[in-house]
C-alpha cells in the first residue's frame, strides 16, 4: 500500500477523532486542530512531490486488484488539489482562533472541519465512481452541519436550500452511476474508460454523460442550478464560508474534469458546445447577481458562480492550452476566493457590518486590511501581474486559438464587470467616509486579532502575488497536468496495467 495516498485521508480522520476526545479543553482542541492541519499539509506536499515527474501513484485497498478493489489514484492534478486544500485548511484553522465565536467552536466546529477535509481529499484521490459518491456524501454531511452550526434562522434557511439541491445532485449521480454500471459492469473509472471504448456507437453513453454533467454541475454551482450557493454561503461564519467558497464547488469542477477527460472521451462533440454555453451563462448570471448586491458576503458568493464559468470554459474548449488554463484557474481561484471571504470577516470586525451602506473609512482605520483586500480583489478581476490575469490570459488565448470569439468576448466582458464589483466594495467600504447613520466603529483590532485575522489573509495574499510573479512555474505545471489529463491511457495503464489484453 502506498502511504502517500492513504495519509491524506487518515490524518484528517485522526484529527477529527482527537478533537472530539479533547472537547473538554478548548486549548487542546485548537492545538490538535493546528497539528492535524500541519500534518495534512506535510502529507500533501509529499504527495505532490512524488507526482511532479509525471508518476501516477496508485494503491489498491485490501490488496484487491482493480477494478474489484477500492483504487486510490493521484496524478499531478489530483495531488495539486489536495495540496491547495491543505493550505486552505491551515489558513482557516489559524483564522478561527479569533474569527469564530466560542459557542460554535464548542459545538464541534474543529472535528467537522477535518471530516470535511477528509471528504474533499477522498474525492480528489478516488479512482472509483461509487467511492466518489461516498466521499461526496461525507463532504455533504460535514458541510451541512457546518453551514447550520449556530442555529440562526438565516443559517437554517440557507442550509435547507443547500442540502436539498445537493441531495438532488446525489440522486442524479447515483442514477448515472447505475446506468453506467448496467452498460459496462464496472464503476472503476479506468476500467469504465476502457469498456466504453469497446461499446458500439449509441446514445446511452451520452445520456450517462449528461447525468454526470448535471449532477456535478449542481455541485459546482453552474447555470441554471446555482441559486443554492448565494442563498447559503453568506449565512455561516466567515471561516466556514471561506472553506466552502474555496473548496466545495471546485470538487464539482474537478469531478467534471476527471470524468470528461477520462471516461466520456468520445462525447466531446456533444459535451464541448454544451459546456461552453453553460460556461457563458454561468459567468454572466453570476456577475450580474454580484453587481445587484449591497452585502459583501453576497457579492462574493455570486462571484463564486461567475468564476466557475471560466473553469468550465477551458473544459468546454477541450484543447491542451484550455485545459491548462482550467487547472491554473482552479488552483488560483481556491486561494483568492477563500482569502476574500476571510477578508470580509476582518472587515466586519473592523467596520461593524457586512453591508456596504454601513461601512466606510476602513482604509483610514486599517491600511493593512485595505491592502489585504486589494490583492485578492484585483487578482479576481484579472489585472496584471497577479494570478487571476494569467489564468484568464490562458483561457482567452485558448479561446482565440480555437476560433471561438463569442466565449472570449463573454469572458472579457465579465472580467470588466468583476472589476466594477470589486471597485464598488473598495469605494464603499474603504474609501468613502463612514456614513452618519452607521453604528459606532468597533474598538481597533488587538495585536492577537491582527495576528489571527490578518496573518492568514496576508499569507494567502502572498501566495497570490507569488503565483502572479512566478506564473511561468505554475503554467508549466498546469500544462503538464493538462497533457496528462488528455492522455487517459496513462491513467488506465497506471491503474489496470495491460490486463486482459485490453490495452
Amino acid at each position: 500500500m502506498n502511504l502517500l495516498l492513504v495519509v491524506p485521508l487518515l490524518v484528517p480522520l485522526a484529527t477529527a477523532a482527537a478533537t472530539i476526545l479533547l472537547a473538554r479543553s478548548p486549548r487542546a482542541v485548537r492545538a490538535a486542530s493546528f497539528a492535524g492541519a500541519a500534518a495534512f499539509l506535510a502529507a500533501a506536499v509529499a504527495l505532490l512531490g512524488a507526482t511532479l515527474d509525471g508518476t501516477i501513484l496508485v494503491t489498491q485497498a485490501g490488496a484487491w486488484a482493480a477494478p474489484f478493489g477500492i483504487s486510490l489514484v493521484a496524478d499531478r492534478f489530483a495531488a495539486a488539489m489536495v495540496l491547495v486544500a491543505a493550505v486552505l485548511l491551515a489558513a482557516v484553522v489559524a483564522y478561527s482562533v479569533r474569527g469564530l465565536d466560542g459557542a460554535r467552536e464548542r459545538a464541534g466546529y474543529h472535528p467537522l472541519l477535518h471530516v470535511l477535509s477528509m471528504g474533499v481529499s477522498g474525492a480528489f484521490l478516488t479512482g472509483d465512481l461509487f467511492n466518489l459518491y461516498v466521499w461526496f456524501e461525507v463532504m455533504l454531511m460535514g458541510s451541512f452541519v457546518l453551514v447550520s452550526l449556530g442555529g440562526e434562522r438565516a443559517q437554517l434557511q440557507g442550509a435547507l436550500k443547500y442540502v436539498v439541491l445537493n441531495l438532488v445532485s446525489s440522486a442524479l449521480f447515483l442514477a448515472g452511476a447505475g446506468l453506467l454500471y448496467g452498460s459496462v459492469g464496472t464503476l472503476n473509472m479506468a476500467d469504465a474508460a476502457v469498456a466504453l471504448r469497446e461499446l458500439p456507437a449509441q446514445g446511452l453513453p451520452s445520456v450517462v454523460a449528461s447525468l454526470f454533467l448535471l449532477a456535478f454541475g449542481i455541485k459546482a454551482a453552474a447555470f441554471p442550478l446555482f441559486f443554492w450557493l448565494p442563498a447559503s454561503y453568506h449565512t455561516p461564519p466567515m471561516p466556514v464560508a471561506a472553506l466552502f467558497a474555496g473548496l466545495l464547488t471546485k470538487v464539482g469542477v474537478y469531478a467534471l474534469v476527471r470524468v470528461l477527460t477520462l471516461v466520456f472521451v468520445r462525447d466531446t462533440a456533444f459535451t464541448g458546445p454544451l459546456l461552453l454555453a453553460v460556461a457563458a451563462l454561468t459567468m454572466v448570471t453570476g456577475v450580474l447577481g454580484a453587481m445587484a448586491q449591497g452585502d459583501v458576503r453576497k457579492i462574493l458568493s455570486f462571484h463564486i458562480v461567475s468564476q466557475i464559468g471560466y473553469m468550465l470554459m477551458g473544459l468546454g474548449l477541450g484543447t491542451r492550452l484550455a485545459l491548462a488554463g482550467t487547472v491554473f484557474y482552479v488552483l488560483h481561484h481556491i486561494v483568492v476566493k477563500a482569502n476574500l471571504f476571510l477578508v470580509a470577516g476582518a472587515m466586519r470586525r473592523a467596520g461593524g457590518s457586512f453591508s456596504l451602506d454601513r461601512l466606510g473609512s476602513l482604509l483610514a482605520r486599517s491600511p493593512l486590511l485595505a491592502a489585504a483586500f486589494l490583492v485578492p480583489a484585483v487578482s479576481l478581476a484579472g489585472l496584471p501581474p497577479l494570478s487571476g490575469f494569467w489564468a484568464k490570459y490562458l483561457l482567452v488565448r485558448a479561446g482565440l486559438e480555437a476560433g471561438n470569439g463569442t466565449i472570449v468576448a463573454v469572458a472579457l466582458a465579465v472580467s470588466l464587470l468583476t472589476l466594477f464589483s470589486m471597485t464598488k466594495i473598495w469605494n464603499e467600504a474603504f474609501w468613502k467616509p463612514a456614513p452618519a447613520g452607521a453604528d459606532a466603529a468597533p474598538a481597533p483590532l488587538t495585536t492577537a486579532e491582527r495576528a489571527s485575522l490578518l496573518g492568514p489573509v496576508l499569507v494567502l495574499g502572498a501566495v497570490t502575488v507569488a503565483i502572479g510573479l512566478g506564473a511561468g512555474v505554475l503554467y508549466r505545471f498546469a500544462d503538464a497536468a493538462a497533457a496528462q489529463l488528455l492522455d487517459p491511457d496513462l491513467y488506465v495503464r497506471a491503474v489496470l496495467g495491460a490486463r486482459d489484453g485490453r490495452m
Side-chain angles (χ1 to χ4, degrees):
M1 178 173 288
N2 193 321
L3 290 178
L4 289 176
L5 288 163
V6 178
V7 171
L9 305 177
L10 294 181
V11 167
L13 178 61
T15 306
T19 52
I20 292 172
L21 294 174
L22 298 170
R24 291 176 179 265
S25 172
R27 283 189 177 181
V29 168
R30 289 175 183 171
S33 189
F34 273 118
F40 183 32
L41 180 58
V45 170
L47 180 65
L48 181 63
T51 62
L52 281 177
D53 63 353
T55 300
I56 299 178
L57 301 180
V58 181
T59 193
Q60 312 290 350
W64 285 85
F68 307 107
I70 297 174
S71 299
L72 296 176
V73 188
D75 56 7
R76 290 185 179 101
F77 188 32
M81 293 297 283
V82 173
L83 177 59
V84 76
V87 170
L88 184 53
L89 176 66
V92 167
V93 169
Y95 186 95
S96 300
V97 173
R98 296 287 175 174
L100 190 78
D101 60 278
R104 286 187 174 90
E105 195 172 28
R106 291 188 295 272
Y109 168 76
H110 287 282
L112 290 166
L113 274 188
H114 292 279
V115 168
L116 179 62
S117 298
M118 179 180 66
V120 169
S121 185
F124 292 148
L125 295 177
T126 186
D128 180 277
L129 284 169
F130 181 76
N131 287 293
L132 179 60
Y133 168 79
V134 172
W135 289 120
F136 271 155
E137 295 308 295
V138 171
M139 287 169 46
L140 180 60
M141 289 187 291
S143 58
F144 174 68
V145 180
L146 280 170
V147 80
S148 59
L149 199 64
E152 296 176 4
R153 182 181 179 86
Q155 283 184 271
L156 295 178
Q157 290 175 338
L160 182 62
K161 296 170 185 175
Y162 172 80
V163 76
V164 167
L165 263 293
N166 276 275
L167 288 176
V168 170
S169 171
S170 296
L172 292 168
F173 187 178
L174 276 182
L179 287 173
L180 181 64
Y181 187 81
S183 301
V184 297
T186 183
L187 289 176
N188 180 284
M189 286 190 276
D191 198 41
V194 175
L196 282 172
R197 297 177 195 173
E198 299 175 352
L199 284 182
Q202 56 179 323
L204 185 58
S206 294
V207 172
V208 178
S210 299
L211 284 172
F212 283 126
L213 180 59
L214 186 56
F216 298 149
I218 292 173
K219 292 187 180 295
F223 181 89
L225 297 175
F226 62 85
F227 54 84
W228 60 268
L229 190 153
S232 59
Y233 273 28
H234 70 284
T235 60
M238 287 302 98
V240 175
L243 197 65
F244 284 16
L247 288 180
L248 296 192
T249 52
K250 311 315 177 299
V251 177
V253 173
Y254 172 86
L256 280 171
V257 171
R258 184 61 68 192
V259 299
L260 294 180
T261 59
L262 174 62
V263 182
F264 300 105
V265 294
R266 292 199 308 183
D267 296 288
T268 53
F270 166 71
T271 57
L274 179 59
L275 276 170
L276 287 176
V278 170
L281 291 168
T282 302
M283 285 187 236
V284 172
T285 52
V287 80
L288 292 180
M291 291 173 64
Q293 304 304 313
D295 183 293
V296 176
R297 299 167 299 176
K298 292 183 179 180
I299 293 172
L300 297 179
S301 295
F302 272 102
H303 273 306
I304 298 172
V305 176
S306 176
Q307 302 298 303
I308 292 297
Y310 286 93
M311 303 169 204
L312 298 181
M313 172 184 169
L315 184 57
L317 289 170
T319 64
R320 177 168 169 173
L321 179 60
L323 201 55
T326 290
V327 172
F328 195 115
Y329 208 104
V330 169
L331 298 176
H332 130 83
H333 188 262
I334 290 173
V335 175
V336 167
K337 180 53 68 174
N339 200 11
L340 282 169
F341 271 89
L342 295 180
V343 171
M347 290 169 61
R348 167 67 175 81
R349 168 62 185 84
S353 178
F354 287 111
S355 174
L356 295 179
D357 291 339
R358 306 188 69 81
L359 287 171
S361 299
L362 289 182
L363 176 60
R365 293 183 203 170
S366 180
L368 191 59
L369 176 59
F373 168 79
L374 200 58
V375 169
V378 169
S379 182
L380 188 74
L383 294 185
L386 298 176
S387 58
F389 169 79
W390 298 109
K392 291 181 180 180
Y393 167 77
L394 292 176
L395 292 173
V396 167
R397 181 178 163 190
L400 292 174
E401 288 184 359
N404 197 319
T406 301
I407 194 66
V408 169
V410 171
L412 293 175
V414 169
S415 187
L416 288 175
L417 295 177
T418 302
L419 179 60
F420 171 80
S421 295
M422 294 299 104
T423 304
K424 176 181 174 181
I425 296 176
W426 174 263
N427 289 338
E428 294 294 315
F430 290 93
W431 192 256
K432 78 171 180 9
D439 299 331
L445 296 176
T446 64
T447 301
E449 286 176 325
R450 277 196 291 270
S452 178
L453 299 181
L454 296 184
V457 164
L458 293 174
V459 169
L460 293 179
V463 171
T464 300
V465 173
I467 292 174
L469 296 180
V473 175
L474 185 55
Y475 166 70
R476 286 189 290 274
F477 173 84
D479 181 62
Q484 205 170 41
L485 289 168
L486 289 173
D487 188 357
D489 284 347
L490 296 174
Y491 189 102
V492 171
R493 281 196 295 269
V495 176
L496 301 178
R499 178 178 70 77
D500 298 333
R502 289 169 117 177
M503 290 301 300

